[in-house]
């Protein structure tokens, strides 16, 4: 079955950087789009970065220029490099994918990112 396992979250000071990783299994990774979403306290869960099967990327306005999503099809991993972090980036970050044939979404368990001094 589809499994997505995130790692790399933690506590970082404002202006700092973190790199999140997601290990994927159970599907043809290279054919699926991959996304990172986040849910801040008291807010809905929003997608912040997308990379499709052709490695075209898209970002939410709030993170554009600071976050970079990338994928390694040989290792079945997707990463999110987060720079210039702000307290507003504090959230649980989720790795997700969407089956391109059924449109079903699959989510990881999430990893906490806290930006605070």
């Amino acid at each position: 079955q589809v499994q997505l396992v995130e790692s790399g979250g933690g506590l970082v000071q404002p202006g700092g950087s973190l790199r999140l990783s997601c290990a994927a299994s159970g599907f043809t990774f290279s054919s699926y789009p991959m996304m990172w979403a986040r849910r801040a306290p008291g807010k809905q869960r929003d997608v912040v970065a997308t990379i499709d099967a052709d490695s075209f990327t898209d970002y939410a306005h709030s993170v554009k220029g600071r976050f970079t999503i990338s994928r390694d099809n040989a290792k079945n991993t997707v990463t999110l490099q987060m720079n210039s972090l702000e307290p507003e980036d504090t959230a649980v970050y989720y790795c997700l994918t969407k089956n391109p044939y059924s449109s079903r979404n699959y989510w990881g368990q999430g990893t906490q990112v806290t930006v605070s001094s």
Side-chain angles (χ1 to χ4, degrees):
Q1 71 277 22
V2 173
Q3 284 194 316
L4 301 170
V5 180
E6 302 97 335
S7 61
L11 173 65
V12 64
Q13 292 187 340
S17 298
L18 275 178
R19 186 178 180 88
L20 305 182
S21 294
C22 173
S25 61
F27 61 102
T28 306
F29 180 81
S30 60
S31 299
Y32 281 48
M34 299 298 300
M35 290 79 78
W36 285 95
R38 69 186 182 187
R39 179 160 57 198
K43 296 186 177 180
Q44 67 180 20
R45 195 161 49 181
D46 292 321
V47 173
V48 296
T50 300
I51 185 166
D52 70 10
D54 296 317
S55 292
F56 288 109
T57 60
D58 192 28
Y59 299 92
H61 177 76
S62 59
V63 308
K64 193 171 292 186
R66 301 187 298 120
F67 290 12
T68 302
I69 188 171
S70 59
R71 66 189 300 158
D72 185 335
N73 290 338
K75 296 182 179 179
N76 285 8
T77 58
V78 59
T79 60
L80 185 68
Q81 178 66 43
M82 305 185 294
N83 298 328
S84 302
L85 283 162
E86 304 167 351
E88 293 74 22
D89 295 316
T90 295
V92 178
Y93 284 73
Y94 299 89
C95 174
L96 70 145
T97 188
K98 175 180 286 189
N99 186 311
Y101 309 105
S102 70
S103 294
R104 176 178 175 179
N105 288 332
Y106 298 90
W107 295 81
Q109 81 286 353
T111 186
Q112 177 70 46
V113 171
T114 302
V115 185
S116 175
S117 55

